[in-house]
Amino acid sequence: MKKKLVSCLISFTLLSSLSTPLLAKAQENTEDIKGSLVIAGGGIGTSNHEIYEKFLSLAGGKEKAKVGIIPAASTTLQSSKKFKEDLVKYGANSDSIKILPVSNHDFSDTQKDESTWKNQVNDKKLSRTIKGLTAVWFVGGDQTKIVDSLRQNNGSDSEALKAIWDIYRKGAVIGGTSAGAAIMSDVMITGGDSLGALKDSLENKENKHVSKKQRSQKEYEPLSIQKGLGFFQHGIIDQHMDERARLGRLAVAAYTSERDKEKNFAYGVDEDTAMVVNNKDQKIEVVGRSGVAVLDMSKAELVSKQKARSGLENIKVSYLSPGDKINYHLKSFEFPKERVETKGFEYYSFNALPATGVFTPYGRLKAYLSYSLVDNESMKSAKSYVYDSKGSGYEIAFQKDNDTNGYWRYTDGQKDDYSIVNVKMDITPKTFKFQPDRKTSLTYKKPTFSSSESPAYDSIKGNLLIAGGALGSSNSSVYNKFINLAGGKQAKIGIVPAASTKFDSSNQFKSDLIKYGVKAENIEILPISNHDFKGTSENESTWKTNMNSDKLAQKVKGLTGIWFVGGDQTLITGSLRNENGSDSKVLQAIWHTYKNGAVLGGTSAGAAIMSNTMLAGGDSYGALSYGFTNTYDDMNQQEGGPAYLEKGLGFFQYGLVDQHFDNKARLGRLIATAYEKGNKNQLSYGIDEDTAMVVNNKEKQIEVVGRGGITLVDLAKVQANDKFPSDYKNILISCITPGDKVNLTTKEIVINPAKTSTRKNEYYSEKVGPNTGLFSPHGVLRKFLAYDLVDNAQSKEIKSYAFNQNKGFELTFRKSAESNGYWAYTDGQKDDYSIVKVALDIKPIDVDIR
């Protein structure tokens, strides 16, 4: 059963004095604790070996670990059983893992009545069992059920809780995920979202007199807290930080609840990530796949900005990544030596738009602060917003300060990995008004680009593997698929390095292929380039003549797989096409190899070149607002502005392909390009990072492989306003994930049979507000459509906005007659959604912010 968002239990309202007392501490003396904590933000994948192995190591090792699992937070025993299975998978002894009888309620998937367990928490037998453990794990669900199960009616600790404290002090590890993370601090957040926390606590209104029923009809949920179990007493813990955008609620909770906020940080843990607390060293290590947000509230101030409304200023935001450490006593950070400082060495230089909704590139907090601010020399400050459908909300301003810095490295192959320290954040009340744009001042230019058709497609025996970028070395499903299509471990593979300015990505891909079993002697980096590479003695720009080398063409014909690395897609086409636009001999050889059964693959730029019309620049807002440009200013243009098109290599002729789709929010530019230059009887395809679209030419079918999804754009029924650009109705949007397939000619979508339909069986029934930016939950398009629309019985339509200054677009996503959602758990207990045929209307608007 999917996890239900915890409803509001106790509203914590800030009125005029801000003198709310801190909840009583669970345990005062924690200096003698020898044990550790593993505090996970939720959504842990079974494949996340870093967290599982760290937990077992702290529990005494795989052979000696004795683990008790506390199921109390959940409504079923499913998650407890799954966690036990995962521990056994990672080498623990099954007989040494027990699901402890701790609950205050019955479980829906058993014959017993587990509500009777509430009476056993003072049982000596249970206490003895706990005292024999080396680890305790709290599963996710409702954190209040954990506390109620382990505390007595008068608020005192039960014998079971005392036993947990006893083994923790002596060296055991205490861990938990989601609700099991929330209980770790003294101040336990039990409900609320960022907008609800801000509005309910920073607006001087009589919200305390609003009934719980009235609150449930709002688009936001007020902050609520209770007393936690206090295993971590050095700040407040929040979880699901990135996915549910809880930074605002954490800031309010820390400001209103921590009497010693000058002494402690506040921590928000991302999904599939854990903060590992070493009490002896007084340090926290970040482990897993994402990050931990850290708030310094020591200089935060409440500032009155509007009548009866206030804001918070001088908050310092840091975001730590796996391998980073936090000294919570000294309030300092430690970073691995291989991380490179960004201050003074910023890689990017582009004008980042404000984060306004699901069309915002890098639209989640950590990515936005990394690319759009900290590692961007053009930006000193950046903004986002959060508001309800009536336009009442806040501006969130992020600013570089004297002590702001970023730390960068590659991780898991060639994925960017950032850590961020000391970005200043101010939250200011604002009102927002959106009206239809009747007379736009924007100059929209239609594309002048035209592309002739590539060779006939009927006789091709080969396949394509088109990856959306940021392909992780650990993404075994994508690598194994490419290798199998190339003929298995005996495959002969050529790597085309042309898109990059260095050989790092080509060398990394070669080493990854070797790791997955391909013989090193069967892999060659092909001398294809029209520019020099950094860090080599050779001048590779001389390779430009190789495109017509008979020897190289002959070598290409002997390959079973060809891979195009990422970078700048125009460098690939410039290295394989003659100046008159004709195919070089090497490109003809690639086509020959492809037609005869080879697989062609590529990531990022190597994906962009696959379709006949190649999207080479621009972002969603730029394409919708300004249309298209005929000039290209290297890779910076890939970060924003009007769309730029060139002729691709045309290996995929069933529609347009775009990449980095989730992280760079390119739906708008794909729609604009498909409308202007696409075949409206074909789908257009947006491929997420760390994900691949596998094209089977024989079956005329695509399949999703990897860790993200593919967005399908269908313009067959679109209605456009020819007198007003980018005014669209009835665009159909589908989002598919690994295991789903699409017929390229009929456009039929075949969903993974493991998934169940959400239609008329929606899990959620909540009123939701617009998606507005970094403080809006479910900021990635597929998650937004899944949670807020297709799996939400109350929602018929949902909105988001894309704007800059006073011009923008209202995006209305509607359930159509054909709309459906499909859900399953994947990789442990992660929600996995597919979405079919949601209707999208785009309307130009004027924006007034006051």
Side-chain angles (χ1 to χ4, degrees):
M1 197 66 176
K2 291 173 284 184
K3 293 171 186 169
K4 190 75 170 174
L5 295 176
V6 179
S7 61
C8 174
L9 294 167
I10 299 178
S11 177
F12 214 84
T13 303
L14 176 68
L15 295 175
S16 58
S17 66
L18 290 172
S19 58
T20 306
L22 178 69
L23 293 174
K25 285 184 176 291
Q27 299 277 336
E28 287 292 348
N29 182 15
T30 59
E31 294 179 359
D32 60 340
I33 293 175
K34 298 177 182 178
S36 302
L37 300 171
V38 176
I39 306 173
I44 300 177
T46 300
S47 62
N48 193 330
H49 62 89
E50 293 93 347
I51 292 178
Y52 283 98
E53 289 176 356
K54 176 65 84 170
F55 180 71
L56 287 173
S57 173
L58 293 171
K62 299 173 183 178
E63 302 295 328
K64 297 181 180 179
K66 296 180 180 179
V67 183
I69 301 171
I70 294 183
S74 184
T75 57
T76 70
L77 285 179
Q78 180 182 1
S79 53
S80 299
K81 292 176 180 177
K82 186 69 176 72
F83 187 72
K84 179 175 180 177
E85 289 175 11
D86 289 342
L87 291 178
V88 173
K89 173 186 170 184
Y90 281 97
N93 187 336
S94 178
D95 294 336
S96 298
I97 306 170
K98 295 179 173 61
I99 297 176
L100 301 176
V102 177
S103 176
N104 66 349
H105 61 280
D106 190 22
F107 293 99
S108 63
D109 57 347
T110 68
Q111 298 297 319
K112 297 180 181 179
D113 180 6
E114 288 84 7
S115 63
T116 60
W117 286 358
K118 172 68 175 174
N119 301 322
Q120 297 184 40
V121 290
N122 290 311
D123 184 79
K124 292 182 179 179
K125 182 180 178 181
L126 176 59
S127 295
R128 285 195 299 269
T129 298
I130 292 172
K131 288 181 179 181
L133 301 174
T134 62
V136 173
W137 183 266
F138 295 88
V139 301
D142 182 344
Q143 47 265 51
T144 63
K145 292 178 180 177
I146 299 175
V147 174
D148 187 60
S149 298
L150 285 169
R151 283 224 173 92
Q152 301 186 88
N153 293 336
N154 63 2
S156 62
D157 293 355
S158 66
E159 293 302 316
L161 183 53
K162 290 177 183 177
I164 294 171
W165 268 99
D166 182 62
I167 63 171
Y168 177 40
R169 290 185 185 280
K170 292 177 180 177
V173 58
I174 309 297
T177 183
S178 187
I183 54 97
M184 293 288 181
S185 50
D186 276 311
V187 176
M188 179 177 74
I189 300 175
T190 59
D193 53 38
S194 286
L195 180 59
L198 291 167
K199 288 184 71 64
D200 211 52
S201 296
L202 298 186
E203 296 185 15
N204 188 9
K205 296 179 178 181
E206 295 303 314
N207 283 336
K208 62 181 181 177
H209 300 304
V210 177
S211 70
K212 182 178 178 181
K213 182 178 180 181
Q214 287 173 310
R215 289 184 189 281
S216 69
Q217 298 304 311
K218 291 186 177 182
E219 301 165 351
Y220 48 86
E221 183 185 4
L223 172 70
S224 57
I225 69 169
Q226 283 189 1
K227 180 180 176 182
L229 297 185
F231 300 120
F232 180 74
Q233 295 201 342
H234 307 284
I236 297 176
I237 304 290
D238 206 349
Q239 16 77 48
H240 297 283
M241 179 58 54
D242 55 345
E243 175 58 34
R244 299 184 189 174
R246 287 174 166 171
L247 191 73
R249 89 167 189 180
L250 179 60
V252 172
Y255 190 86
T256 61
S257 306
E258 281 281 29
R259 86 182 156 205
D260 54 350
K261 60 179 178 286
E262 293 185 8
K263 175 181 169 185
N264 292 325
F265 285 143
Y267 304 87
V269 190
D270 288 351
E271 294 186 355
D272 219 7
T273 308
M275 51 183 276
V276 178
V277 181
N278 184 316
N279 287 298
K280 182 179 179 181
D281 294 341
Q282 296 185 323
K283 289 184 179 181
I284 296 166
E285 180 183 4
V286 182
V287 175
R289 290 188 174 139
S290 189
V292 174
V294 183
L295 290 182
D296 184 348
M297 306 295 295
S298 59
K299 296 181 181 179
E301 299 175 327
L302 185 77
V303 182
S304 296
K305 295 290 184 180
Q306 293 183 4
K307 183 179 179 181
R309 301 182 71 195
S310 299
L312 282 173
E313 293 186 348
N314 296 322
I315 301 166
K316 285 294 182 75
V317 179
S318 299
Y319 227 113
L320 283 293
S321 294
D324 299 343
K325 293 184 179 179
I326 306 162
N327 187 316
Y328 57 77
H329 179 63
L330 299 177
K331 295 179 74 174
S332 62
F333 306 117
E334 298 175 15
F335 303 100
K337 292 180 179 179
E338 61 268 26
R339 288 199 184 276
V340 178
E341 290 189 39
T342 63
K343 192 172 185 177
F345 304 94
E346 290 85 357
Y347 181 80
Y348 294 95
S349 181
F350 65 93
N351 183 27
L353 296 177
T356 59
V358 294
F359 273 16
T360 300
Y362 314 113
R364 300 315 302 150
L365 181 69
K366 181 181 169 187
Y368 185 77
L369 293 181
S370 298
Y371 294 99
S372 298
L373 182 64
V374 174
D375 200 18
N376 190 337
E377 67 177 357
S378 296
M379 300 293 290
K380 303 300 181 187
S381 62
K383 294 179 180 179
S384 185
Y385 307 94
V386 63
Y387 44 84
D388 60 23
S389 60
K390 294 181 179 179
S392 174
Y394 297 84
E395 174 187 272
I396 303 101
F398 300 96
Q399 184 175 327
K400 287 178 180 174
D401 219 335
N402 292 333
D403 55 352
T404 302
N405 208 342
Y407 299 86
W408 170 90
R409 69 174 176 183
Y410 277 135
T411 185
D412 191 14
Q414 286 203 307
K415 293 183 178 181
D416 287 334
D417 183 32
Y418 282 97
S419 302
I420 301 159
V421 295
N422 297 323
V423 171
K424 182 175 178 286
M425 180 174 73
D426 298 332
I427 303 172
T428 306
K430 297 281 185 179
T431 56
F432 302 80
K433 189 174 182 179
F434 304 109
Q435 292 182 318
D437 187 352
R438 302 298 184 189
K439 189 176 181 180
T440 184
S441 60
L442 302 176
T443 304
Y444 181 94
K445 294 183 179 180
K446 287 185 170 289
T448 58
F449 165 81
S450 61
S451 177
S452 57
E453 292 299 316
S454 289
Y457 208 78
D458 292 340
S459 59
I460 290 178
K461 297 177 182 177
N463 300 292
L464 299 173
L465 188 146
I466 308 174
L471 180 61
S473 295
S474 64
N475 195 329
S476 58
S477 58
V478 172
Y479 278 96
N480 287 331
K481 191 72 172 182
F482 180 72
I483 292 167
N484 289 338
L485 290 172
K489 295 180 180 179
Q490 302 302 316
K492 295 181 179 180
I493 296 171
I495 301 171
V496 178
S500 186
T501 57
K502 299 184 293 184
F503 280 111
D504 291 2
S505 52
S506 298
N507 290 328
Q508 178 68 55
F509 189 73
K510 180 176 180 178
S511 68
D512 288 342
L513 291 176
I514 294 169
K515 182 181 79 172
Y516 284 102
V518 180
K519 294 179 180 179
E521 59 268 27
N522 287 354
I523 309 167
E524 182 175 352
I525 298 174
L526 301 173
I528 298 173
S529 176
N530 65 354
H531 60 280
D532 191 23
F533 286 85
K534 298 175 183 177
T536 68
S537 57
E538 185 176 356
N539 181 4
E540 289 83 8
S541 64
T542 61
W543 287 0
K544 185 169 182 178
T545 58
N546 288 349
M547 71 170 74
N548 287 305
S549 163
D550 290 324
K551 182 179 179 180
L552 182 56
Q554 197 60 37
K555 179 180 288 186
V556 167
K557 289 181 179 179
L559 299 174
T560 61
I562 298 172
W563 184 265
F564 297 87
V565 301
D568 184 341
Q569 46 265 50
T570 65
L571 297 177
I572 300 176
T573 55
S575 300
L576 286 171
R577 280 220 174 89
N578 297 309
E579 290 185 5
N580 64 3
S582 62
D583 292 357
S584 66
K585 290 181 179 180
V586 170
L587 182 52
Q588 291 173 23
I590 293 172
W591 268 101
H592 173 85
T593 306
Y594 178 38
K595 287 179 179 179
N596 284 281
V599 58
L600 306 185
T603 183
S604 186
I609 53 99
M610 292 291 180
S611 47
N612 208 44
T613 296
M614 180 174 76
L615 286 81
D619 67 350
S620 288
Y621 179 82
L624 292 171
S625 299
Y626 307 109
F628 298 80
T629 179
N630 294 324
T631 60
Y632 183 66
D633 181 22
D634 66 49
M635 287 186 66
N636 279 335
Q637 194 163 322
Q638 295 186 22
E639 303 302 330
Y644 175 72
L645 307 178
E646 279 194 8
K647 181 177 172 60
L649 298 185
F651 302 125
F652 179 72
Q653 291 194 327
Y654 291 101
L656 299 172
V657 170
D658 208 348
Q659 19 74 46
H660 293 284
F661 210 70
D662 51 351
N663 203 27
K664 297 192 179 184
R666 286 175 164 168
L667 178 63
R669 87 166 189 180
L670 183 58
I671 289 170
T673 306
Y675 181 78
E676 299 286 0
K677 301 303 299 182
N679 180 341
K680 294 181 180 57
N681 293 318
Q682 294 178 329
L683 298 173
S684 296
Y685 304 84
I687 308 171
D688 288 351
E689 294 186 351
D690 217 8
T691 308
M693 181 170 88
V694 179
V695 181
N696 184 318
N697 287 306
K698 182 180 179 181
E699 301 292 333
K700 291 185 169 49
Q701 178 178 268
I702 69 160
E703 176 186 4
V704 188
V705 176
R707 293 182 175 142
I710 296 175
T711 300
L712 311 174
V713 176
D714 188 346
L715 299 183
K717 299 179 181 179
V718 70
Q719 299 171 22
N721 183 349
D722 292 334
K723 296 181 180 179
F724 210 105
S726 302
D727 187 348
Y728 300 110
K729 292 183 179 179
N730 293 326
I731 302 166
L732 290 181
I733 305 294
S734 301
C735 301
I736 56 176
T737 59
D740 298 339
K741 299 177 181 180
V742 180
N743 186 294
L744 291 164
T745 53
T746 67
K747 301 192 291 188
E748 179 187 3
I749 300 171
V750 180
I751 300 297
N752 184 339
K755 294 178 181 174
T756 58
S757 171
T758 64
R759 190 166 186 170
K760 297 184 179 179
N761 190 34
E762 292 86 356
Y763 185 77
Y764 299 98
S765 183
E766 300 169 353
K767 191 173 183 180
V768 296
N771 185 287
T772 61
L774 304 181
F775 278 16
S776 288
H778 318 305
V780 177
L781 178 69
R782 176 165 51 92
K783 300 289 185 71
F784 174 55
L785 297 181
Y787 289 102
D788 287 358
L789 184 63
V790 298
D791 204 14
N792 188 346
Q794 275 202 49
S795 290
K796 304 301 180 186
E797 65 177 37
I798 52 176
K799 294 183 183 294
S800 184
Y801 295 87
F803 58 87
N804 184 28
Q805 296 179 344
N806 64 341
K807 293 290 182 181
F809 301 92
E810 180 184 74
L811 318 173
T812 303
F813 298 90
R814 298 180 284 107
K815 287 177 180 173
S816 70
E818 302 170 287
S819 295
N820 205 345
Y822 298 87
W823 170 87
Y825 275 136
T826 184
D827 190 15
Q829 287 199 307
K830 292 184 177 181
D831 289 332
D832 181 27
Y833 282 97
S834 299
I835 296 129
V836 173
K837 296 185 178 179
V838 165
L840 167 62
D841 301 335
I842 300 177
K843 181 172 68 176
I845 54 171
D846 289 320
V847 182
D848 183 20
I849 303 175
R850 298 185 182 183

